[in-house]
Amino acid sequence: MLQKLKNCFIFLLAVAAVCASAAVKEMKMGVYVYDDYFRKGAKEDGVELKSLVEEHFKRLNEHGVNLLHLGVSRPDDKAFDEIWLPMMKKYKMQAYLQLSFAYFRLRKYWTESYENHQAEKAGKFIAKYKNCPEILGFSIREEVSAKELDAMARYYKKIRSHAGDFPIVTLHNNMKAAQAHPEPYPAYFGTDRYAFWWEQSAGGYLA
């Protein structure tokens, strides 16, 4: 089962975060998880999606994982309300939600009308879940290039016109983009430069 879903857990994500109580600090450690991989795995194995998700939540919880970078592929999928969110509550996990269904990509199909439509979809979804204590923030793009920053910022502003204010999550893999990041600024700002990259690009220095 884990072999089939190995793509869900390729990258280890470690984030230091402060809990709601200012007196308590907790290290957040988690993994990338994509709901569409689980949906595909459950179908291939002939098992219920809920049982497959719980199997993995239980195992992650046993190994100290308390944070997910969760890719959501369908904004109107009942599975988020009926499976993913209840599992987060049950196993005391929080999540950054990557809105895969509204992911920012400057391609030929990314016209102004398409962007407006995507922003509305994303905004409605965010407005529904932004006050859930299990949800720390929302992302619509990782590893954006510096030349795409202004377009991404425009997209975020359009989303906020539908959702109101919400915490943005941004991960960069190059310093030029990180230094030039325009408003709206993210609440969670980090990198997904993996350890083996740092060793090469930092002259052997490992943080």
Side-chain angles (χ1 to χ4, degrees):
M1 186 70 69
L2 287 175
Q3 182 64 27
K4 287 191 176 183
L5 292 171
K6 65 181 180 180
N7 289 331
C8 299
F9 307 106
I10 292 177
F11 305 117
L12 182 66
L13 176 66
V15 181
V18 178
C19 295
S21 170
V24 179
K25 290 187 177 181
E26 181 183 50
M27 172 67 77
K28 293 292 185 184
M29 187 179 77
V31 294
Y32 280 85
V33 177
Y34 297 93
D35 65 353
D36 49 348
Y37 281 102
F38 275 82
R39 193 178 295 109
K40 180 180 178 181
K43 183 178 180 180
E44 289 179 350
D45 289 351
V47 298
E48 290 187 359
L49 177 61
K50 182 178 180 179
S51 64
L52 182 59
V53 172
E54 180 147 30
E55 175 189 345
H56 284 77
F57 265 74
K58 183 178 180 181
R59 185 167 300 191
L60 291 171
N61 179 260
E62 290 171 349
H63 287 81
V65 172
N66 55 11
L67 179 67
L68 302 176
H69 184 108
L70 176 59
V72 181
S73 59
R74 302 178 186 180
D76 54 353
D77 188 3
K78 293 181 179 179
F80 187 79
D81 285 325
E82 297 176 358
I83 299 176
W84 293 100
L85 196 54
M87 289 298 173
M88 281 186 260
K89 295 177 185 291
K90 180 175 180 179
Y91 290 97
K92 296 180 173 59
M93 292 191 188
Q94 292 179 298
Y96 301 130
L97 298 186
Q98 175 185 302
L99 306 190
S100 302
F101 63 86
Y103 206 66
F104 172 71
R105 293 182 177 91
L106 285 184
R107 300 289 188 268
K108 288 184 178 180
Y109 63 79
W110 194 275
T111 62
E112 183 176 359
S113 61
Y114 182 82
E115 178 176 282
N116 292 340
H117 176 66
Q118 293 296 89
E120 183 177 2
K121 283 200 304 183
K124 288 181 178 179
F125 183 88
I126 291 171
K128 183 177 178 180
Y129 296 107
K130 67 179 184 178
N131 294 318
C132 291
E134 290 77 23
I135 309 305
L136 295 177
F138 301 85
S139 170
I140 50 84
R141 178 64 189 268
E142 298 175 20
E143 301 179 346
V144 66
S145 66
K147 65 181 181 181
E148 294 177 318
L149 283 171
D150 289 338
M152 185 179 73
R154 180 191 67 219
Y155 184 42
Y156 265 124
K157 289 175 182 178
K158 288 183 179 181
I159 295 173
R160 281 187 164 174
S161 72
H162 298 283
D165 193 21
F166 63 88
I168 293 172
V169 180
T170 298
L171 297 178
H172 285 295
N173 65 350
N174 69 90
M175 189 59 70
K176 184 177 180 180
Q179 291 176 327
H181 197 103
E183 295 186 47
Y185 299 123
Y188 299 94
F189 191 97
T191 179
D192 55 359
R193 292 283 286 178
Y194 315 118
F196 55 85
W197 286 358
W198 281 120
E199 188 173 8
Q200 294 299 320
S201 62
Y205 174 76
L206 296 178

